[in-house]
Each structure stands twice: as C-alpha cells, then as structure tokens.
Amino acid sequence: MVETEAATNPSERLKVFVSYSRTDLDFADQLVLALEDKGFEALVDRHDIDAAEKWKDRLGTLIASCDTVVFVLSEKSAGSPICAWEVEEAALLGKRIIPVVPHDPAGVAPPPQLGELNYIHFFRHPNVPGSGFYDGVQKLDRALRVNLGWLRRQTAYAERADEWRAQTGAARRPEDHLLRASALEEAEAWLASAPKNATVSPLVREYIVASQEAETRRKAETAANIAERERALKTARIATLIGGGVAFALIVLAVGLSAMAVTASREAGRNRAAVFAGEAEARMGQAKYAEAMLMALGGDPAGARNQIATLDFSGAGYPAASSALALAMTQNRFVRLFPDYSQGDGIEAVFSPDDTKILTYPEGNGDSASDEARIFTIEGRELGRLALGEAFDVATVPGPGWRILVASRTGVRLWDVEARRQLGVLSTTYTHSVTVSADGRRALTFGDDSMEVWDIQTSVLVRSFPGAVWTGGELSGDGSQILMSTPQEATLRNVDTGQITDTIATYSTNALALSSGGERVLVASIERRRVFLGDRNSTPRTFTAEVEDAHFLGDGRVLLGLFSSGRVALWTPQSGASEEFSVAAVSAWPLVVSHNGRHALAHGSQGLLLLNLEPRAPDVIDPRARRIDYGWSSDNGRNYGSAVFSGDGARLWVRSAEGSRVQNAETGALAYALEGTTLAAFSADGRRIVTLSGERTIVLRDAADGRQLNSVQVPDQVTTLAFAGDDVLIGSQFVRSWRPVTGRLEQLLNSETYVRSMAFQPERNLLLAGTDAGAQLWDLRSRNRLHLLAPGAEIGAVALSRDGRLAATADHSWDSWTPTEGRTWKIVLWDLASGRRLQVFGLPPAGIYPPRPVSLAISGDRLMAGMSNGAALSFALHPIVWEDAPTRVRMACATLRALGMTEYTVEDLQRFPILQNEARNPCSAVH
C-alpha cells in the first residue's frame, strides 16, 4: 500500500540523508528546513572531511540508517569523490536516490547511478510553468511520500540482515536470526512488491534467500509428516471396512489432518508463486525475457506440482506466476534458435532477398569438420545444404533469384543458391569481408591492405582505396557513396571520384551505418559510448554500454548491438525511445538484419537467435488524426484536448480546439456537437452519454442524438465520470453515485486522494479508480479495496474488460524528463486475479509536453486509447493475456523450446534449492 503522508511519531518519520557539496551548503540548509517542515527527519553531515578521519564510517552509518538519499546535483557535487562515494554506497545498500537540481544542469555529467533517474528541479525553467524552489519542494514532498512503508521495511530488513551477518565470523550464520513463517511470507511479498526502479541491497536479498532455504528445509520435514498422516488416512479408510466406532474416530482424525495439509499446500504454492514471480520480473528488468519465463515456470503457474491434494484450479493456477509468465511472453522478441553445427568455429548467416529463407554457414579457415552451408525457412524448417567451401563472409545480392558473394582467402566467388552452383569470380585476392549495395549493383570488399568497390554484373573494379588501415566501410543504397573508417577518423567519400565529401568523426569508431539513400550517417564509438546520427554536427546519444554494431532498419529506427552488456537495442532517433533485449552469453558480432528490417539474427552461446523487429506502435484509428500530433496549443502551453470511446468502440467523444462533439469512431463522421462539455463517459451499451458542464453540472444524454434526459448539481469539483449500470459514478476526492431515475445522490467511497478516472464492471460490481497514488480496485458491494495497481503512480485513465479479468491504466507520472526528450507515458494491462502486469505499451517521448492517454477501453483483442490531442490509438493485445494458466505454460514452453532454452542453469539451482528436487527442464512434462 502506498502511504500518502509522513508519520507524526518522530521515531516513525521517514529518514532522508542529504548528500551535497560544501559549495552548495546554503541550498542544502534551505532543503533541510523544508524537509523538516514537511515532517521528515533530515540527516545531513556538516563536518569537514579530514584526511585522517574515518569519514567513510561516519557517512556510511548515516546512509545505512536512512530510508532515502536526496542528492544535490551540481557541477561541484558531480565532480566530488566524496559525493560519488556516497551515491555508490547508497546504491550498494539499495537505498532510493532522488536527485535534486538547484541550478540549470546543462553540461553537468552526473554519477552513473543517477543516469536513469528522474530529476526534481529547484530552479525556474523557462519550459516548465511554475517551476522554482517552492515547486521543487512540493514535488520532492510527493516523491518522498510514495512507498514509505516499503522503504521503512527495507531499512528494517537491512538492519536485521546486518545483525545476522555479524553474529558469527564463520561462513555458516545462525538460523535463529532468519525469518520464519508469516514473517518470511511478509518479506517475500515485500520483495515481490518492489516499486519500479527500486533496488534491493544484495545483503537483504541474501538474507531473504537464506531464510527461504531454511524454511524449505522445515517444510520438507513437514511434508514428510503430512505423508505419514496420509498413510494414516489410508489406514483409517481400510479400518472403516472392518467396522466399529474406533475406525470412525480414526477417519475423522485423518480427514482433519488431510484438510490441514491441503490448506498448507495451497498457501505454500502461493508463496512460491510470489517469490518466483518477483524473480521473473527482476530478470525482465534486465531484458532477459527467456530467463524470466523459466523463473515464472518455477513458480508453478498452472498448479501442476501440487502432490498433496487434487486442487480444482479451474485454469487459474497460481495467478502471480501466471501473470509474470504472460508479461515475459508479451515483452519477448526472440523467436527461435538456429543451432551452431560448426564444431567450434561458430556459424554466420544471411537472409534471402525476399527474407523468407536463411542460409547459415561455418565461419572459419576451411579447417572445420563441415564447410557445408544449410538453408532454412525463416520458420526453422531445413530446405537443403550447399557445399560452399571456405567462407570468411557471405553477402546476399538483392534482386531476382538468390545470389550470394562468398569471401575467402582465394577471393570472392558469386553463387546461385537455388541452383546450388558457382556463377563466377569477382576477385582473386585475399578477402575477409564483403557487403553489397541495396540495389545489388556494387560490392565492397576488404582485404589485408585495401578496400575495393566492384561492379557485380561485369566483375570490373570500380575504385580501390589502398594504403590506409581500414577498420570499416558501408555503401549507400545505390553504391555511389561509401562511409569508411580508420583508427583516426570516419569519412564519407564519393565512390566514382574517391574524394572525401565529409569528415564525420575525428576519432576511432567501431560501428558504421549508412542509410539507403546516403542522407543519414551513423557512427558509434566504444571509447566514448556515443552514437552520432546525421553529420558531424549531430547531437550524440549516449548509451551505458559499448555499441559494437549499427544498422538502419528503413522505417526510421536503428538497431544497435550492445554486446559488452549482452544486449541488442532498438532505437528511434526521432523520439529518443529505445528498447533493449538481452542475448544470453553473446559470443560474436555483427548482427545480421533482414532486407525489410523486420528480423535480425544475433549470436548466442548455442547458435543464432532470430529476433522479431516488427514495430509495436499503435494504429491511429481516428480518421481526423492520420498521425500522432505531439504539438500543443498556444494557450499558455497547455493542451486542452481529450477523447473518450464508447464501451462498444462505435462512438468517440472528442474535445479539441474546435469544441466538443460526438463522432463515429471508425469513419470520423460528426454525430452532433456538445458545446461547453469538458468531461464525458459512455454507458457500457453505448446508448447513453453523461457529460460535465462547468465544474459541477452533470447531464445525462441519449448517445444517439445528444438529447438531454436528466441533470444534477454536485457539491464538489468533478474530476471524472463513469457509468455503473443505470447509475452514474461521479469522481472527485470522493466517489458518489447518482441514480437519474430517482435523482438520489449518495457518497460511496473516500479515496483519500483525487480520483482522475474510473471504470466499472457490473457483473462483479468492481470499480477501478485512477488516483494520484495508483489505481484502486474496489468491490462496491462490500466497499472493500481489493488491489492497488501501480502504487505511487499518477493514473490518468483506466479501463476494465467486460468479464472483469483485465484492467488497463495510463500512467501520467514522469518516467523520465530532460529538456530535450521530455515526458514518456506508459499504458499497462493488468491481471486482476493477481494484481500484476500482463503487457506494457509505451508511447515514445516527444518534446516537453506530448499528448497524454486520457481515456482507455478494452475491446476484444485491442486496447484503445483516447489522447489529449484528440487522436485515437489502438494497441494489439498479445493472445496470451486471455489464456488460462495451463495454456500460458504451453505457449511459453513452445517459445523456450524454439529458443533452445528450456533448462535452469546451475546458478539458478544453487540459488533456489527448491528446484533441485524437480526436473531441470520445467517443460519436460508439458505437451
């Protein structure tokens, strides 16, 4: 649960350590006063650092005892070794870090641990209305009040873990200080409910894992006792046949023990599911989606491992593990494995010109046990083999048929793959690499001491570039330009004249890409960890890992190989958005990209992994908005547009600069205008619409023609509307119900924070309320809150599926903010059985004030979002989100088998001893 106010008891107040440079003392003093005024306990070190003093011990004690570290980021603190140590220590201990900026941070390089965090600005920024010290205090206050309970418990667990570690100097630590039973369950639930971007210290994780292992040993003993009781039950049943009152008593006793065993088994299964679901989400945070699937399977999603009683799961299984499994599947982009058959040399591959087939071949010097190339469909079916001989590199020649160029120590040979025969020879000198222009006319070859451009049709040498130590080269689509690099520079040259037309970089680069038309250039530097796009005056994009390969995909996106971290990144330069995927044990590069940019092959430890690069952008279904317009009105920088779908998806209420109206959602045809309305909601059947006029006037209308049916005045400023059957729900800080038939207006709930959006499900009587502190799911019959989704997030739009199984939320929190990249919004699909995420839809950052999702609707296999600029977007739901737990398991196992990743690693088995008594392959019994 997200706490929304600081504790009044001094011993329970949130402890905040302020890290700052001595040059920022005046600002730090003001900040400490503001924190104390808000009810927080500020910890600040005012001692000067003496070289002989044990300052690390003093500061380390303060950091260990705090719940949150506030880092004052300035030019001086960014360069301070002591401040850097404080940040490192805080990160090591898993403390939440909130950077605050007293002045414009332009040109300031923050510590690496702060690179992905949200900054709170305490200065007046020209692009942020109302910004300044007061605004910064208010934002810091709200940020500190999020997840207070979770942070306090982390500090408490850290203290207990430290005591456990300190009890003995021996390797084995006493179990008396470990967590047990309900205390362990609470810790596991706490670990599984970690807020996004939260870090749990390694010592706390070790402490909880040690407690789990000890609990597992105790449960094993309990299971043995339960088995003995079941034998007693069997004996009692036999005694029943013999007869007598004594036998009946034995039956009663044994049945009671068996019922206890079933209850204990259910609870143990839920606990196990929560632990492995948390681990699966941690792997997803590292972009390791296949590993996440394995971890989720360890949580027994379908309830298949329960050996004590036959449980009627009805397809539900253990929802926590089932939801984590679905989330990993929806985020995974890896499709299948093409196994390495080279016996040590490794394999390479190329796509056919139409991208429907793949040719794999052993990379080597001719000493491989097999120099045969193999031909597969993209679905993985082998079509045949080709005696290719020695191959250092292979390139497909675009055009009719399937021709390839093969580089070797004897030159470059031209092959017809379909005819299985060699067509000719392009070069007779040693060649280790070859590429082909997109039009199939020219080839670029690399030898030991020269780079050459050839005409493929005539086998004529067009241009030779001898002498320099060439480290890379790329041809433009028509072969007229070449981007080439040496250890000192990267230049763009005209192939026909050989002249330099532009110098792109004056340093060593290791990845080059040239767009098909040659209008865009991309170079990457490992040393600088930068990617430059355009020309030498372009603004660089900095990655936290070394970029070793780069490709244009033809749709504005760029594919990057970040192999030092084992990842592949999809980057959209126009918006700054990037999406990363982890490749287990990457052994080699480069990436191999299909001609249409829809697939790529990445090197893994077992072979080549096929990566699906299909764009996941939503469809724009409002005919009035053929594109997503990220512009804002000139009304003081504020956007005043919004759009709301009817429950059946047929109608759309739109508020824009032209006024408010209802239109056909498919054709955009105007139905009628609704001047002066600022909020709207449709009934589930789409026959009625309720609107807000002014701040407190609610009007019920016929959705077909806008005719007024009834109206009511409410006492509070209204923030959102929704239908609940025949009633209308009215949101403010309270949720009220209005019954138009009788005119009755009553208060239902007090949400303790403003309700921004609502959705109702009639069969289960569920209300989902989006607030400034998460999405609250309520049972209106009992008035009980069932779940808190997205704790701490500012939820601006919500939706429920018609069957009440799924929910959707639009997060209006600032996931990231910089003056150049702006905000980024996320839409999340939730499983209401577990309260966990199933699918995440991201909108790319676009400027300081991009439009927000202001309404949502789940309709069949689509999730629809009405945007604040009047556009209407439609996202595809992954099929797995509607499936039951056993089907999800089968779908995940099919994917893992295709990837050749169905077994737990030795490290996983050591970390989770409970897995050691089970099959190492969790899919072995799944068909």
Side-chain angles (χ1 to χ4, degrees):
M1 178 177 180
V2 174
E3 302 176 41
T4 57
E5 58 181 73
T8 55
N9 185 337
S11 64
E12 296 179 355
R13 292 189 301 167
L14 187 82
K15 297 179 180 179
V16 181
F17 175 76
V18 179
S19 174
Y20 68 101
S21 166
R22 292 299 179 269
T23 59
D24 301 316
L25 179 58
D26 290 342
F27 174 82
D29 285 341
Q30 295 180 58
L31 185 61
V32 168
L33 290 174
L35 289 170
E36 292 175 344
D37 182 62
K38 293 292 185 180
F40 302 106
E41 181 180 350
L43 307 179
V44 60
D45 180 64
R46 300 187 185 279
H47 296 82
D48 290 330
I49 300 298
D50 189 293
E53 183 186 4
K54 295 183 178 180
W55 57 270
K56 286 187 178 181
D57 293 342
R58 187 180 72 251
L59 293 178
T61 301
L62 287 173
I63 295 172
S65 64
C66 79
D67 301 301
T68 297
V69 173
V70 171
F71 183 83
V72 180
L73 177 61
S74 66
E75 184 177 359
K76 293 295 184 181
S77 65
S80 166
I82 295 173
C83 290
W85 179 88
E86 290 174 346
V87 171
E88 290 176 3
E89 183 71 6
L92 179 64
L93 295 176
K95 301 296 181 180
R96 178 175 64 174
I97 304 174
I98 301 178
V100 300
V101 186
H103 312 291
D104 190 339
V108 175
Q113 294 86 349
L114 307 184
E116 302 299 325
L117 299 181
N118 303 331
Y119 294 0
I120 296 178
H121 297 80
F122 278 71
F123 63 94
R124 184 171 297 281
H125 195 287
N127 294 327
V128 182
S131 57
F133 186 87
Y134 175 79
D135 182 60
V137 170
Q138 298 303 109
K139 289 177 180 176
L140 179 59
D141 179 40
R142 289 197 297 269
L144 289 172
R145 292 177 192 274
V146 172
N147 300 306
L148 296 186
W150 193 92
L151 292 167
R152 286 198 189 103
R153 291 181 69 181
Q154 158 129 295
T155 303
Y157 286 136
E159 291 172 352
R160 292 192 61 169
D162 196 54
E163 292 174 1
W164 166 69
R165 179 175 57 180
Q167 284 301 311
T168 176
R172 188 176 182 273
R173 294 160 189 160
E175 291 192 2
D176 293 344
H177 294 271
L178 294 174
L179 300 167
R180 302 183 64 169
S182 61
L184 176 58
E185 293 170 9
E186 290 176 1
E188 291 170 338
W190 168 84
L191 188 62
S193 65
K196 59 183 178 183
N197 300 328
T199 302
V200 180
S201 74
L203 178 59
V204 170
R205 282 191 181 274
E206 181 187 357
Y207 177 59
I208 294 177
V209 169
S211 300
Q212 290 169 335
E213 292 174 349
E215 189 76 358
T216 298
R217 289 191 293 270
R218 285 190 293 271
K219 286 182 178 178
E221 295 172 1
T222 302
N225 293 333
I226 291 173
E228 184 62 31
R229 291 169 184 169
E230 288 185 338
R231 284 192 290 272
L233 175 61
K234 182 177 180 181
T235 301
R237 287 172 176 164
I238 294 173
T240 303
L241 300 176
I242 299 173
V246 175
F248 178 77
L250 288 174
I251 291 174
V252 172
L253 174 63
V255 169
L257 292 173
S258 180
M260 292 172 59
V262 170
T263 301
S265 175
R266 285 181 182 272
E267 187 63 24
R270 283 192 289 268
N271 294 338
R272 171 179 177 145
V275 170
F276 280 95
E279 182 63 24
E281 293 206 6
R283 303 290 175 100
M284 284 183 256
Q286 302 168 15
K288 298 178 179 179
Y289 301 116
E291 290 185 24
M293 291 182 218
L294 282 170
M295 288 296 104
L297 289 171
D300 195 12
R305 294 188 181 88
N306 197 301
Q307 302 296 319
I308 296 177
T310 302
L311 304 182
D312 181 17
F313 284 104
S314 301
Y318 292 117
S322 178
S323 298
L325 186 63
L327 180 62
M329 281 285 289
T330 61
Q331 292 186 306
N332 174 60
R333 280 187 177 269
F334 289 104
V335 180
R336 66 182 45 84
L337 172 75
F338 292 90
D340 184 357
Y341 55 87
S342 66
Q343 300 182 12
D345 289 331
I347 60 170
E348 299 290 342
V350 292
F351 287 88
S352 62
D354 61 3
D355 295 317
T356 62
K357 295 180 282 294
I358 294 171
L359 179 141
T360 65
Y361 61 94
E363 181 190 25
N365 56 12
D367 297 330
S368 172
S370 172
D371 286 331
E372 277 191 329
R374 299 183 181 182
I375 305 166
F376 298 88
T377 65
I378 200 168
E379 292 79 18
R381 180 169 59 91
E382 185 169 352
L383 298 177
R385 304 190 179 191
L386 176 63
L388 202 59
E390 180 184 68
F392 292 158
D393 193 19
V394 174
T396 291
V397 179
W402 188 2
R403 296 175 298 159
I404 58 174
L405 290 174
V406 181
S408 68
R409 73 182 72 202
T410 59
V412 179
R413 309 183 302 277
L414 180 65
W415 278 79
D416 185 319
V417 175
E418 294 171 340
R420 306 290 200 276
R421 64 187 181 91
Q422 182 174 320
L423 299 177
V425 176
L426 193 67
S427 166
T428 57
T429 61
Y430 178 93
T431 306
H432 59 74
S433 181
V434 59
T435 62
V436 179
S437 60
D439 63 4
R441 293 177 53 246
R442 289 180 171 179
L444 175 65
T445 64
F446 294 81
D448 280 342
D449 55 3
S450 69
M451 183 186 300
E452 297 175 337
V453 178
W454 293 79
D455 185 296
I456 297 174
Q457 184 66 31
T458 62
S459 298
V460 172
L461 179 64
V462 177
R463 176 69 56 185
S464 178
F465 300 93
V469 180
W470 303 111
T471 57
E474 288 287 330
L475 284 172
S476 62
D478 60 1
S480 65
Q481 299 181 76
I482 181 172
L483 176 64
M484 52 209 314
S485 63
T486 69
Q488 292 78 37
E489 63 180 5
T491 57
L492 190 64
R493 296 181 183 237
N494 182 292
V495 171
D496 294 313
T497 65
Q499 299 299 308
I500 296 176
T501 57
D502 198 359
T503 299
I504 308 300
T506 56
Y507 49 82
S508 176
T509 61
N510 59 289
L512 304 173
L514 190 60
S515 65
S516 180
E519 71 279 1
R520 290 190 301 157
V521 173
L522 185 147
V523 299
S525 166
I526 279 185
E527 179 181 356
R528 302 192 179 197
R529 293 190 175 187
R530 285 182 170 182
V531 177
F532 284 84
L533 177 67
D535 56 32
R536 57 186 171 185
N537 298 317
S538 297
T539 301
R541 169 68 186 267
T542 301
F543 286 84
T544 57
E546 298 166 353
V547 178
E548 296 193 12
D549 196 18
H551 299 266
F552 284 104
L553 297 183
D555 58 2
R557 296 178 300 161
V558 174
L559 185 67
L560 303 173
L562 312 178
F563 287 149
S564 61
S565 64
R567 295 190 181 190
V568 176
L570 266 175
W571 176 33
T572 306
Q574 292 88 335
S575 68
S578 63
E579 181 182 2
E580 295 188 9
F581 318 95
S582 179
V583 185
V586 171
S587 57
W589 60 278
L591 296 162
V592 182
V593 179
S594 64
H595 302 88
N596 60 16
R598 293 296 186 261
H599 291 90
L601 290 164
H603 293 76
S605 58
Q606 302 179 63
L608 294 170
L609 290 166
L610 183 67
L611 182 63
N612 182 355
L613 303 179
E614 290 285 347
R616 290 178 173 174
D619 297 327
V620 180
I621 64 174
D622 179 5
R624 294 181 64 258
R626 293 297 181 182
R627 62 184 176 87
I628 303 177
D629 183 3
Y630 287 100
W632 280 62
S633 72
S634 59
D635 181 18
N636 198 26
R638 294 186 176 275
N639 189 312
Y640 49 83
S642 57
V644 178
F645 283 96
S646 60
D648 58 4
R651 291 185 175 92
L652 187 66
W653 173 83
V654 178
R655 182 187 177 210
S656 66
E658 293 79 22
S660 300
R661 65 191 181 278
V662 172
Q663 64 185 50
N664 184 292
E666 292 295 330
T667 66
L670 176 68
Y672 50 87
L674 287 175
E675 295 301 330
T677 60
T678 54
L679 290 174
F682 287 94
S683 61
D685 58 9
R687 298 173 59 185
R688 290 167 298 158
I689 181 173
V690 61
T691 61
L692 172 68
S693 299
E695 293 184 349
R696 294 179 172 84
T697 303
I698 310 298
V699 180
L700 180 68
R701 303 175 185 273
D702 186 307
D705 55 17
R707 176 170 45 91
Q708 180 171 329
L709 304 176
N710 208 337
S711 66
V712 68
Q713 291 281 331
V714 295
D716 305 314
Q717 180 179 347
V718 178
T719 54
T720 184
L721 298 168
F723 274 91
D726 293 329
D727 296 346
V728 175
L729 299 178
I730 304 167
S732 57
Q733 190 169 349
F734 306 93
V735 176
R736 289 185 170 86
S737 173
W738 172 42
R739 180 158 294 181
V741 175
T742 64
R744 182 181 178 184
L745 183 69
E746 66 170 326
Q747 180 178 316
L748 294 179
L749 306 169
N750 182 354
S751 71
E752 300 180 356
T753 182
Y754 274 100
V755 177
R756 303 298 179 186
S757 54
M758 294 185 294
F760 179 74
Q761 203 280 331
E763 284 77 17
R764 298 176 60 189
N765 219 29
L766 299 177
L767 172 67
L768 184 63
T771 75
D772 292 340
Q776 303 175 3
L777 182 68
W778 294 83
D779 182 337
L780 289 186
R781 290 191 182 95
S782 63
R783 308 289 175 89
N784 291 329
R785 196 175 78 178
L786 306 178
H787 282 304
L788 178 62
L789 309 178
E794 181 184 339
I795 302 301
V798 296
L800 288 170
S801 62
R802 290 189 177 183
D803 60 5
R805 292 170 54 194
L806 306 180
T809 61
D811 188 349
H812 288 183
S813 307
W814 288 22
D815 281 349
S816 63
W817 187 93
T818 66
T820 56
E821 290 189 5
R823 293 179 176 181
T824 173
W825 313 120
K826 281 196 175 82
I827 299 174
V828 179
L829 188 73
W830 301 84
D831 173 36
L832 290 185
S834 64
R836 290 177 177 270
R837 298 178 301 162
L838 289 176
Q839 193 169 356
V840 178
F841 309 91
L843 294 173
I848 304 301
Y849 300 110
R852 301 182 295 182
V854 293
S855 68
L856 299 172
I858 301 172
S859 179
D861 62 351
R862 310 294 296 182
L863 173 64
M864 294 179 287
M867 304 299 291
S868 58
N869 65 344
L873 309 181
S874 175
F875 299 85
L877 299 182
H878 195 288
I880 200 171
V881 304
W882 292 110
E883 302 294 349
D884 61 13
T887 305
R888 289 176 180 177
V889 169
R890 287 192 291 272
M891 293 173 70
C893 285
T895 298
L896 290 171
R897 290 189 186 107
L899 295 175
M901 300 177 66
T902 56
E903 293 189 352
Y904 295 114
T905 65
V906 174
E907 292 77 11
D908 290 335
L909 296 176
Q910 291 173 346
R911 183 173 182 184
F912 300 100
I914 192 173
L915 296 174
Q916 295 179 7
N917 296 324
E918 302 172 0
R920 186 168 180 178
N921 177 357
C923 296
S924 58
V926 178
H927 304 289

